Amino acid sequence: MAHYMAESNARYYSSRDPFGTAGDFITAPEISQMFGELIGLWLADMWIRAGRPEPIHYVELGPGRGTLARDALGAARRYGLSPRVHFVETSTALKALQLELHRDAIWHADLSTLPTDGPLLIVANEFLDALPVRQLVRMAEGWRERMVGLADGRLIPVAGSAPMEAAVPADRRNAPEGTIVETSPACAAVMYEVAGRLAAQEGAALFIDYGHALPRFGSSLQAVREHRKVDVFAAPGEADLTAHVDFSALAPIALSRGVRWLGTVEQGRWLRALGIEARADALAAYAPDHAEAIHAARERLTGEGQMGVLFKVMGFAGPRWPDGAGFASPA
C-alpha cells in the first residue's frame, strides 16, 4: 500500500497544480491570508524571544504555490525577521509557481541539503498527510501487510502472505480479526530528521495537518479529485491520496532526539489563541465589502464542523528556544 501511495502521489504532484477551485482541493493558505500571517507572527515571536539569532532560515516542506510563505514572511518582516528562504519540493510544476512569488528562494529535494549555519524555522502545512502509509491487517492466521492486487481488471486491497506480527506495536497485537493498523515510516523519518536538525541548530517547527492526537485503528486512506472523494484505486496518479496523521506517534520520535515538544492542539484553538478573530475584525473594517467572506474564511479555518477540530498543530523548539504561543504545556 505504501508503495502504491508513493508512486501515485509522485505522478500526481509532478504533473499539475492541484490547488484552488479549479484544482482538486483547497488548503488553509488559499482560504485566507490570515492563516499564513499568524504563522509568520508566531515565528517572529519565537525568533525575537530567542534573541534574534542570525543567520536564520525559513524552511517550508511542501510549500504548494508559495502562498503560505508569502503571507507568513510578509507578516514576519514587519517585526524585523527576514530569513533566508528554503523550499523542500520535488514537483517541477509546483516549483515553477513558487518561483513566481519567491525569486530568491533555494530549493531542496529533501532535508539533507538544508543549511547548517544557523537556526531553522520549519513549517509543514498539509505535508505529512501525503506521505505514504503502511497498513497492517489482522487476519485469522495473524497479522499481514495490506497490499494492492488485481481482480477482474480492477485494483483492490488484498492481504499479503508474510507474517507481520513484528511490525505491529505490542499494545495492538491482540486486536480482533479485520482490524487495520496504519503506520507511516515516511512521517517518522521526516520527524527524526527535523528533530535532529533542531537539536543541533536550534529553531522551531510547526506541523499542521489533519489527523488524530491519540492512536486509532482503521484505514484513513482517501482519494480526492475535483473536491470530491473518489475510489482510492480507480485512477492512480490522477487523484490526491492522503491519510490521517498519527500525531501521537511523532512526538516521542522528536523527544528522543532531544528537542522540546511544545504541544499538539486543534487548529481552531491555536488560531484563536494567536488572535485570528481580532485579525478578521480588522480586515473586515478595512474592507467592509469583503467582511462576509473574511468572517466565512475565519469560520472555515476554526469552526468545529470544518477545519478547526480535525486539523491539528504540533509545535517543537530547540533545547534553548522559548515556549510557543498557542500551546498549553504538553503532558
Side-chain angles (χ1 to χ4, degrees), residues 41-243:
L41 295 178
W42 189 90
L43 295 174
D45 175 63
M46 292 289 286
W47 173 71
I48 290 168
R49 290 188 293 117
R52 302 175 185 260
E54 295 286 354
I56 186 78
H57 302 277
Y58 173 89
V59 178
E60 189 169 343
L61 313 184
R65 291 172 168 171
T67 306
L68 190 158
R70 179 197 65 194
D71 296 337
L73 294 170
R77 276 193 293 270
R78 298 202 295 269
Y79 296 89
L81 173 59
S82 296
R84 300 172 186 173
V85 179
H86 302 263
F87 291 148
V88 178
E89 180 62 77
T90 57
S91 167
T92 54
L94 291 176
K95 181 179 177 180
L97 295 174
Q98 296 155 14
L99 190 60
E100 294 178 8
L101 294 177
H102 305 280
R103 291 287 179 179
D104 296 328
I106 301 170
W107 278 265
H108 305 263
D110 54 48
L111 281 73
S112 66
T113 57
L114 292 177
T116 59
D117 62 344
L120 305 178
L121 300 173
I122 300 173
V123 177
N125 179 63
E126 293 198 51
F127 172 77
L128 296 177
D129 67 310
L131 297 182
V133 294
R134 185 183 194 186
Q135 293 185 337
L136 305 164
V137 58
R138 177 68 184 269
M139 307 296 290
E141 60 273 25
W143 287 96
R144 299 292 184 267
E145 183 146 20
R146 213 166 183 227
M147 316 289 281
V148 179
L150 191 67
D152 300 324
R154 296 178 63 250
L155 297 175
I156 60 169
V158 297
S161 58
M164 299 299 295
E165 272 70 15
V168 180
D171 59 347
R172 302 196 192 185
R173 289 177 190 164
N174 293 326
E177 184 177 341
T179 298
I180 294 174
V181 168
E182 207 168 62
T183 65
S184 179
C187 284
V190 168
M191 184 59 60
Y192 187 85
E193 176 67 17
V194 166
R197 289 282 189 153
L198 293 181
Q201 297 174 233
E202 296 291 344
L206 290 173
F207 288 88
I208 307 170
D209 229 310
Y210 69 95
H212 44 273
L214 297 174
R216 292 185 182 178
F217 291 111
S219 171
S220 68
L221 185 61
Q222 67 175 21
V224 173
R225 189 176 188 182
E226 296 179 352
H227 302 274
R228 295 183 297 107
K229 289 186 178 182
V230 297
D231 184 349
V232 168
F233 304 104
E238 299 300 321
D240 178 43
L241 298 187
T242 62

